[in-house]
Each structure stands twice: as C-alpha cells, then as structure tokens.
Amino acid sequence: MKPFLFVTDLDNTLVGDDRALETLNQKLHKHRQEYGTKIVYATGRSLYLYRQLTTQKQLLQPDALLTSVGTEIYFNPTTHTVDVEWAQMLSQGWDREKIVATGRNFADLVLQPKSEQNSFKVSYYLTDRAAVKVIPRFKSSLSDKGLNVKFIYSAGKDLDVLPSQGDKGLALQFLRQKWKVNAQQTSVCGDSGNDIALFTRQERGIIVGNAKPELRQWYRENQTDYRYLATAHYAGGILEGLKHFNFFTSSDGSK
Ligand code: GLC
Ligand code: MG
C-alpha cells in the first residue's frame, strides 16, 4: 500500500455524521501509522473557529492545516505559527483597505465577525437574491480601482474576497510542491463553493452526497474519471470515495 495525501474540508464534509467520522478516523489513523499517509484540513474557518470545532468534534491532529479558505497555512499543529512564505506570496498586489472601503458602497454586503476577517481575506454575508446583482457590480468596481481579487461565493450566504493567488486549491498546490506528492496520490474532499478550487486540477476529487447546489453544478459541467460524486453523506461519502479510488483496500479492513 502506498501513502497518500488526504485533504478534506471540515464543515458538512468531514463533519456532519459522527459515527461515519469515527470509522473514517480509525482508518486514516491506521493508514498514517502504517504507510505515512498525510492528513490535511482545508477549511473556510479561521484558526479561532477551527479550534472551537476541535473542542466539539473528534478530529485527528492534521499534518497541515489550511484555514480561512486557504489564506493561512499552518504546518505545526501545536504551535500554530502561520507560514510566512505563503503569506508573502498572497501579499502581492493585495490592498485590504481598498476592498473594505469599496464594500461599504453596497448595503447588501454585511461584514462577517472579526474572527473571520484576516490580512488576506475579507468576508461578507450576502443573500442569494442580492448576490446576482451585487457580485458583478462589486467585482467591477474593484477592478476599476485596479484591484485584481478573487470572489468565492458559498452555500448561498458567504462571500469571500481573496487575493487572486490564494484559495484552498492554490494553498494545496503549495503543499504538494513542498511535500513532493503528485496529484494521483492526492485525494480532495468537499461539499460547497469554496471547495471548487480543490477540484480544479487532477487530484482525486470526492464530492460528498450532501454537496451544495453550486458544487453539484460545477461537477456536472466538469465530469471526468478523477472526480467522484458519492451517494453517502459527510464522512460516509469520503469513505465511499476513498474506496472508489482504491486509496483504501481490503487490507485496511475497509472493503
Ligand atoms: C467559513 C468561514 C467564513 C467563510 C465561509 C465560506 O464559514 O468562517 O468566513 O465565508 O467558510 O468560505
Ligand atoms: Mg464545507
């Protein structure tokens, strides 16, 4: 058996079904011990909200943590020191103050709590109805000011504005290069809009059965044999996908 790089979103992907999570945790833990498989969480949550989740759910200690939609990378799970090389890459051409100032012109944009804002992420609540008009207008007024940013809209309510060089997928590419793992030996799992960036290359993609409409639609338009839409939900869907791609075999007791 070979080691693989296991990358997963947390809310409504890894977390959502406690029993399936326990089964998956056991298998991943064993795989990491026996083969050196690496576990990475790629979440929209800030480090603050991630820590909160760890007090509520049984999560394995990750080998790396990508928080705030990939705008922060933590390699050391105990000290939680942000990776400065990644921060430097994101800082190019980014002007947070200008984004916030432009956002004030749109009444429908409601800033998320302070804990969810960081140097390289401006996050708002925005309803589905308002999004259709507000997103293109906000985008064009930022580009009029020469700001080249990335918009990620998730779950019909969250709008993240990120540096164009940053998202979960680009943070993962940074990791893969550092660790020298190829796409075939990497599995990525998600349920919503901010996970789409994880699926855009050739990693083995697992979309859980409870995925949100925006990710389902993206999947329908981008089907290929290295992307798998599971039937089971949450961690159950991940288990299904890991078997589908043969990351888990009968020797793990998983078939
Ligand atoms: C998490 C974050 C939030 C973000 C959302 C979607 O809920 O806390 O800031 O907007 O994920 O990426
Ligand atoms: Mg999610």
Side-chain angles (χ1 to χ4, degrees), residues 57-245:
K57 298 287 169 186
Q58 288 294 327
L59 299 180
L60 298 174
Q61 184 84 268
D63 296 281
L65 183 59
L66 317 179
T67 63
S68 303
V69 200
T71 58
E72 292 184 352
I73 300 181
Y74 299 90
F75 284 104
N76 189 327
T78 45
T79 61
H80 281 153
T81 317
V82 73
D83 187 81
V84 289
E85 198 187 330
W86 182 240
Q88 254 158 24
M89 286 167 79
L90 296 187
S91 67
Q92 285 150 34
W94 171 256
D95 189 335
R96 189 176 203 287
E97 291 318 307
K98 274 194 192 160
I99 296 162
V100 175
T102 310
R104 285 199 196 100
N105 301 327
F106 298 87
D108 293 301
L109 291 175
V110 178
L111 275 169
Q112 290 185 12
K114 244 193 170 139
S115 79
E116 299 316 285
Q117 313 292 341
N118 73 22
S119 308
F120 303 114
K121 171 174 175 279
V122 184
S123 291
Y124 299 94
Y125 295 123
L126 176 66
T127 63
D128 233 350
R129 276 182 67 193
V132 194
K133 279 189 182 166
V134 171
I135 290 180
R137 288 185 192 161
F138 188 21
K139 233 182 209 166
S140 75
S141 77
L142 288 174
S143 71
D144 288 349
K145 296 188 168 83
L147 295 168
N148 181 19
V149 297
K150 183 174 290 178
F151 275 51
I152 297 181
Y153 190 56
S154 304
K157 64 181 177 61
D158 296 314
L159 177 67
D160 301 313
V161 186
L162 311 179
S164 56
Q165 330 65 300
D167 58 35
K168 288 186 180 185
L170 293 168
L172 168 60
Q173 299 315 309
F174 180 80
L175 265 192
R176 282 214 295 110
Q177 276 176 16
K178 235 186 170 64
W179 287 346
K180 301 188 170 49
V181 185
N182 63 34
Q184 290 76 10
Q185 282 304 113
T186 304
S187 70
V188 290
C189 316
D191 78 297
S192 82
N194 74 8
D195 301 315
I196 291 173
L198 287 173
F199 295 104
T200 54
R201 290 174 186 77
Q202 306 215 336
E203 284 85 356
R204 286 12 188 178
I206 301 168
I207 293 160
V208 288
N210 55 291
K212 299 276 191 306
E214 70 267 15
L215 180 55
R216 289 176 172 279
Q217 190 188 335
W218 183 88
Y219 170 76
R220 276 196 299 273
E221 292 161 1
N222 296 277
Q223 285 191 39
T224 149
D225 55 4
Y226 51 82
R227 292 182 193 128
Y228 179 74
L229 175 61
T231 305
H233 292 194
Y234 312 110
I238 298 177
L239 278 162
E240 188 188 318
L242 290 174
K243 288 177 198 169
H244 171 83
F245 289 119

Side-chain angles (χ1 to χ4, degrees), residues 1-5 27-38 185 247-253:
M1 269 307 336
K2 279 191 179 169
F4 66 99
L5 174 55
K27 292 184 198 304
L28 285 170
H29 174 70
K30 198 162 161 251
H31 223 271
R32 175 156 66 179
Q33 280 194 321
E34 287 180 7
Y35 311 113
T37 282
K38 281 192 156 65
Q185 282 304 113
F247 286 115
F248 282 163
T249 65
S250 43
S251 61
D252 307 306

Side-chain angles (χ1 to χ4, degrees), residues 9-13 191-192 194-195:
D9 167 52
L10 295 174
D11 294 279
N12 299 311
T13 301
D191 78 297
S192 82
N194 74 8
D195 301 315

